[in-house]
Amino acid sequence: MDESEDMPKDFIKLKSEKLSVDEVSELVISPYCGAVSLFIGTTRNNFEGKKVIHLEYEAYTSMAETEIKKICRDVRQKWPSVKHIAVHHRLGLVPITEASVIIAVSSPHRAESLEAVRYCINTLKASVPIWKKEIYEDEYSWKENKECFWANSEK
C-alpha cells in the first residue's frame, strides 16, 4: 500500500451507545504511523464531596460536529504529520466508570500524537456545545467546563 491509499481521515461520532476504546483506536491505526495516542474521559463517582450517581450529556449535534471538524483542521495545521483523528463523544446517560469521550490520534512519532490529543480534549471542552448534567444522590447540577469560552465571557 502506498501512502496515497491511506489518506488522512477524521472520524467524528456523537452517540448514545457505550463507547469502545478498541473501535476508536482501530480507526486511526496506520502502517505509516508508529504512535497512537488516546484520551479516555470517564465518569467518576464523586465531585467536591458529593456522590455522583451518573452523568447525562446533551449536545447541539450538528454544531458540535462542525466544531469538532474545526478542531481536526486545527490539529492538521499545527501537527502536519498527524495521520488519522477519531473523536467519539457519548450523549445521554453515562454510568460510573464508562467513557463519555474517547479521542485517538495517529502520527509517525509519539510527540505529535500526544500533543494533538491534549489539544483536542482541551479545545473540545472549551468550544464544543456539549453540556454535562451531574446526577447526585438527592440533586443534580448542570456543569459548565471551566475552559468554556462562552461561560467565562459572561462573568
Side-chain angles (χ1 to χ4, degrees):
M1 173 190 316
D2 72 39
E3 195 154 6
S4 65
E5 295 175 31
D6 191 31
M7 297 300 296
K9 294 182 190 77
D10 300 333
F11 303 93
I12 299 166
K13 188 178 284 189
L14 302 175
K15 65 181 198 169
S16 57
E17 297 82 24
K18 188 173 181 175
L19 301 180
S20 165
V21 174
D22 288 341
E23 175 189 346
V24 175
S25 61
E26 286 172 18
L27 289 171
V28 301
I29 289 173
S30 166
Y32 302 99
C33 295
V36 171
S37 297
L38 290 164
F39 173 81
I40 307 163
T42 60
T43 302
R44 65 178 175 266
N45 67 359
N46 66 86
F47 179 76
E48 294 181 351
K50 296 179 187 174
K51 182 178 179 183
V52 174
I53 305 301
H54 63 264
L55 300 179
E56 291 181 27
Y57 287 89
E58 291 184 11
Y60 180 1
T61 305
S62 62
M63 188 173 170
E65 289 170 346
T66 298
E67 291 301 312
I68 294 169
K69 287 175 188 172
K70 287 181 190 173
I71 293 169
C72 293
R73 279 196 303 273
D74 290 348
V75 163
R76 295 187 186 291
Q77 287 183 336
K78 292 174 183 296
W79 299 279
S81 67
V82 162
K83 182 60 98 173
H84 304 306
I85 304 167
V87 179
H88 285 200
H89 204 297
R90 189 150 170 197
L91 300 177
L93 191 141
V94 184
I96 303 300
T97 73
E98 290 190 15
S100 54
V101 61
I102 302 174
I103 298 172
V105 176
S106 61
S107 64
H109 304 284
R110 70 180 172 271
E112 296 86 353
S113 65
L114 287 166
E115 292 166 8
V117 163
R118 182 184 194 114
Y119 176 85
C120 282
I121 187 59
N122 289 344
T123 308
L124 183 146
K125 290 177 90 43
S127 64
V128 177
I130 298 174
W131 300 278
K132 175 173 72 173
K133 182 179 180 183
E134 286 184 346
I135 311 298
Y136 311 113
E137 287 180 299
D138 53 358
E139 61 180 320
Y140 68 88
S141 176
W142 283 101
K143 296 294 183 178
E144 59 185 36
N145 292 314
K146 64 181 183 288
E147 305 92 344
C148 180
F149 74 87
W150 62 79
N152 292 328
S153 66
E154 296 171 6
K155 294 182 179 165

